[in-house]
Amino acid sequence: SLEDERRINGRERVTVAATVANDKPEAVEVELSPVEAGLRGFRIVSSDIRAVVNDAGAPAWRLRVAAGQSRTLRYTIEWGD
């Protein structure tokens, strides 16, 4: 969910809380990648966990979610001129 959205000096900045729930009987690994990553001037400002570069060359976060549990990732990104 979108927690905050701002425009600062011509740049868009958003803070997102993404929750992943696992209803499977075993742990799963999930990869989240922001769709804005391809936009000009994109950068990750902050996040709860360290981002990686996935096989497609895009920034992403990998979360391991235990069986029957959920996990929330909070991150702030910005893009623009």
Side-chain angles (χ1 to χ4, degrees):
S1 66
L2 185 63
E3 291 190 334
D4 187 40
E5 183 175 15
R6 299 174 190 209
R7 187 163 188 82
I8 303 169
N9 296 326
R11 295 182 59 77
E12 289 290 325
R13 179 179 281 200
V14 296
T15 299
V16 175
T19 300
V20 177
N22 177 12
D23 62 356
K24 294 185 177 186
E26 66 275 339
V28 296
E29 188 168 298
V30 178
E31 182 176 285
L32 302 174
S33 186
V35 296
E36 298 88 355
L39 297 175
R40 176 201 228 130
F42 173 85
R43 76 180 190 101
I44 298 170
V45 176
S46 65
S47 63
D48 291 345
I49 64 171
R50 186 177 190 86
V52 297
V53 176
N54 66 17
D55 293 341
W61 295 275
R62 293 191 179 118
L63 304 173
R64 186 165 177 80
V65 185
Q69 301 293 311
S70 64
R71 192 155 172 211
T72 299
L73 166 68
R74 283 184 178 76
Y75 62 89
T76 300
I77 56 175
E78 68 178 24
W79 65 91
D81 295 333

